[in-house]
Amino acid sequence: MRILFILLLGLCLAGVPVLAEETADMDMRVNSMYAANQIDNAFNLLLSIPQEDRTTQQWLILGNIMQDMGKSGDAEFMYEHAINKDAKNYKALYNLANLYLENGKPNMAIDKYKAALKVKNDFAYAYYNLGCAYIKLGEFRKAKNALLDAIYFKSTEPDFHYNLAYVYKKLNKPKDAELYLGYYNKLINDKK
């Protein structure tokens, strides 16, 4: 009996990497299709996977597809499933925050941006959009801090500087506003 148990345990363990490889292969196929703009193929392949077997990455791609189709409610559902599968999926947190921001829910967006930044604290675009959410709420000091963080991690993005100039203007700091507007103009001219 003991030998049979060990043999069965060995067979079960031997099968685990194959399943992981199949899942990784499926994620790679879906990502490739999505990146190649083969949205229908990616969507149909994802729908063929039972919900309970979908990975966090697969839920994320489904959310992206739903958001691209203008189906915000469905996109939110998919992103939440991605996060439920892996609470550290900062891309799903970020995309859900963007969805909330687009739909006029800046407070909910702020919560998700902060959650994404807890996972990936050097994510410049999350800081930038966090700043944008604070701007929508009129919380310009918090917006300033978030935008400064965004610039710290990615100083070459013109929009970061432009929005910071706007925030400094709202904070009645015209010299700082002028400084960051100058950085914005320089970055725009360098891209030409």
Side-chain angles (χ1 to χ4, degrees):
M1 186 69 159
R2 184 179 171 137
I3 293 174
L4 180 61
F5 174 76
I6 292 172
L7 182 60
L8 287 173
L9 180 63
L11 289 173
C12 290
L13 293 177
V16 171
V18 174
L19 292 175
E21 285 178 21
E22 288 174 5
T23 299
D25 180 56
M26 182 67 77
D27 282 349
M28 201 165 73
R29 286 177 53 207
V30 168
N31 289 343
S32 295
M33 286 179 194
Y34 185 72
N37 207 27
Q38 298 173 353
I39 306 302
D40 290 338
N41 292 340
F43 185 68
N44 290 330
L45 181 58
L46 287 168
L47 290 182
S48 73
I49 302 167
Q51 286 191 14
E52 63 275 2
D53 294 337
R54 290 183 192 148
T55 66
T56 186
Q57 180 65 18
Q58 292 164 356
W59 283 109
L60 172 66
I61 297 294
L62 277 169
N64 292 347
I65 291 170
M66 292 292 104
Q67 191 168 4
D68 292 345
M69 295 169 72
K71 297 181 177 183
S72 294
D74 291 336
E76 182 178 356
F77 175 83
M78 303 302 176
Y79 293 142
E80 286 174 352
H81 270 61
I83 295 163
N84 287 337
K85 279 278 187 175
D86 178 6
K88 293 185 177 188
N89 186 334
Y90 71 92
K91 292 178 183 177
L93 290 161
Y94 175 74
N95 288 358
L96 183 55
N98 288 340
L99 187 67
Y100 287 148
L101 190 58
E102 285 175 19
N103 291 326
K105 301 174 183 175
N107 287 314
M108 293 173 72
I110 287 167
D111 290 341
K112 295 303 176 191
Y113 289 130
K114 286 180 177 180
L117 288 165
K118 281 183 182 176
V119 177
K120 184 164 176 55
N121 70 348
D122 64 346
F123 192 9
Y125 292 98
Y127 284 112
Y128 171 72
N129 286 344
L130 177 63
C132 292
Y134 282 129
I135 289 170
K136 283 189 179 265
L137 293 173
E139 296 184 25
F140 297 111
R141 291 193 194 292
K142 290 179 180 179
K144 176 192 74 162
N145 292 334
L147 292 168
L148 285 170
D149 286 338
I151 290 170
Y152 176 79
F153 289 111
K154 187 169 175 74
S155 63
T156 58
E157 187 60 53
D159 289 342
F160 294 5
H161 296 273
Y162 185 85
N163 278 8
L164 186 56
Y166 171 78
V167 165
Y168 275 126
K169 183 178 178 188
K170 291 300 227 179
L171 290 171
N172 201 25
K173 296 192 176 214
K175 287 184 181 181
D176 290 327
E178 190 176 314
L179 176 69
Y180 281 94
L181 193 55
Y183 292 148
Y184 166 78
N185 287 327
K186 182 179 180 343
L187 289 169
I188 291 296
N189 288 330
D190 288 349
K191 287 188 177 187
K192 290 181 182 178

